[in-house]
């Protein structure tokens, strides 16, 4: 039985997290230095998107993609971290994007560190670090002060080589899932209206 793309991606994500845990949590090198998340990334604020025209670049909020706009805010590998709302919904992106003002995006300070940072932050219970009252909130100070063991350049390169094919597969699955959704959204109204007959649809 063929698994749906989302289920396949969940499995790939779990495999990547297992590799991260094995390399950096269960078997860290004692020679690796200790530091803070601010040694690995620069945390940046997202911006309002309402005045942007529609386009091809995804706009990310804490719940996921909200819309597509005319230009990106950032065009490199990044980890998106909610500033308000669903704090544990951390995301990894490797395409040009826009991030809303309730979502931090990050710039990497080291090569091959983005996926490491993603798995490091995702393993944290950010909701328990909530700095807000009525609305759950995250701050740059909390993120920057997170203590982290900083792997060697060779370890980061090895981790990248192991998990990069998984991320490429997840991205391909997302593209396929989006294409199938577009086909569904195009065909369904025509089927419902009787404009086309179900026997005419070939999958």
């Amino acid at each position: 039985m063929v698994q749906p793309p989302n289920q396949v991606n969940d499995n790939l994500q779990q495999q990547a997290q297992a590799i991260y845990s094995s390399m950096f949590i269960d078997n860290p090198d004692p020679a690796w230095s200790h530091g803070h998340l601010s040694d690995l990334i620069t945390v940046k604020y997202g911006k309002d998107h309402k005045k942007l025209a529609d386009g091809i670049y995804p706009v990310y909020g804490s719940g996921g993609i909200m819309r597509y706009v005319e230009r990106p805010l950032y065009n490199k590998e990044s980890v998106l971290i909610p500033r308000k709302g669903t704090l544990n919904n951390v995301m990894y992106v490797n395409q040009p994007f826009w991030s809303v003002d309730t979502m931090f995006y990050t710039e990497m300070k080291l090569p091959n560190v983005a996926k490491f940072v993603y798995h490091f932050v995702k393993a944290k219970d950010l909701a328990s670090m909530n700095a807000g009252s009525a609305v759950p909130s995250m701050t740059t100070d909390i993120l920057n002060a997170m203590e982290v063991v900083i792997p060697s350049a060779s370890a980061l390169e090895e981790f990248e080589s192991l998990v990069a094919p998984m991320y490429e597969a997840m991205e391909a699955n997302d593209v396929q899932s989006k294409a199938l959704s577009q086909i569904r959204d195009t065909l369904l109204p025509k089927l419902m209206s009787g404009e086309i007959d179900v026997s005419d649809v070939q999958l």
Side-chain angles (χ1 to χ4, degrees), residues 131-184:
S133 51
V135 179
S137 303
M138 179 55 56
T139 68
T140 55
D141 287 343
I142 292 173
L143 293 172
N144 287 330
M146 285 185 182
E147 295 182 355
V148 59
V149 174
I150 301 174
S152 63
S154 60
L156 288 172
E157 185 176 2
E158 180 185 359
F159 180 64
E160 174 72 19
S161 68
L162 289 171
V163 301
M166 298 177 185
Y167 278 84
E168 290 168 6
M170 284 188 273
E171 188 174 342
N173 287 334
D174 285 338
V175 170
Q176 180 190 27
S177 182
K178 183 180 177 183
L180 290 173
S181 295
Q182 289 174 337
I183 293 172
R184 177 203 63 204

Side-chain angles (χ1 to χ4, degrees), residues 43-59:
V43 180
K44 309 284 283 188
Y45 284 88
K47 296 184 178 181
D48 184 31
H49 63 95
K50 295 182 182 66
K51 294 182 179 179
L52 295 171
D54 291 338
I56 62 171
Y57 300 103
V59 176

Side-chain angles (χ1 to χ4, degrees), residues 14-200:
Q14 290 170 17
Q15 290 178 44
Q17 189 72 31
I19 293 172
Y20 164 84
S21 296
S22 176
M23 290 184 64
F24 304 116
I25 305 300
D26 301 333
N27 302 291
D29 188 328
W32 291 343
S33 62
H34 290 251
H36 297 90
L37 193 56
S38 59
D39 295 318
L40 305 180
I41 61 172
T42 300
V43 180
K44 309 284 283 188
Y45 284 88
K47 296 184 178 181
D48 184 31
H49 63 95
K50 295 182 182 66
K51 294 182 179 179
L52 295 171
D54 291 338
I56 62 171
Y57 300 103
V59 176
Y60 287 95
S62 60
I65 295 176
M66 300 170 61
R67 58 178 292 219
Y68 292 83
V69 294
E70 59 186 317
R71 59 188 174 89
L73 178 62
Y74 192 62
N75 61 6
K76 296 179 182 177
E77 204 175 13
S78 186
V79 177
L80 309 183
I81 304 169
R83 187 173 72 84
K84 299 278 188 181
T86 313
L87 300 185
N88 283 335
N89 198 19
V90 181
M91 304 174 209
Y92 166 85
V93 291
N94 193 19
Q95 60 178 342
F97 67 91
W98 191 279
S99 175
V100 302
D101 50 8
T102 56
M103 193 81 165
F104 293 120
Y105 70 97
T106 54
E107 296 178 355
M108 303 301 133
K109 293 183 176 181
L110 298 176
N112 300 313
V113 79
K115 295 178 185 67
F116 170 84
V117 167
Y118 168 70
H119 287 281
F120 170 79
V121 176
K122 192 166 181 62
K124 300 293 183 182
D125 183 10
L126 299 184
S128 68
M129 306 175 191
N130 173 30
S133 51
V135 179
S137 303
M138 179 55 56
T139 68
T140 55
D141 287 343
I142 292 173
L143 293 172
N144 287 330
M146 285 185 182
E147 295 182 355
V148 59
V149 174
I150 301 174
S152 63
S154 60
L156 288 172
E157 185 176 2
E158 180 185 359
F159 180 64
E160 174 72 19
S161 68
L162 289 171
V163 301
M166 298 177 185
Y167 278 84
E168 290 168 6
M170 284 188 273
E171 188 174 342
N173 287 334
D174 285 338
V175 170
Q176 180 190 27
S177 182
K178 183 180 177 183
L180 290 173
S181 295
Q182 289 174 337
I183 293 172
R184 177 203 63 204
D185 293 344
T186 301
L187 290 179
L188 194 56
K190 295 182 178 180
L191 286 167
M192 296 295 289
S193 67
E195 185 178 341
I196 60 174
D197 189 272
V198 68
S199 61
D200 296 330

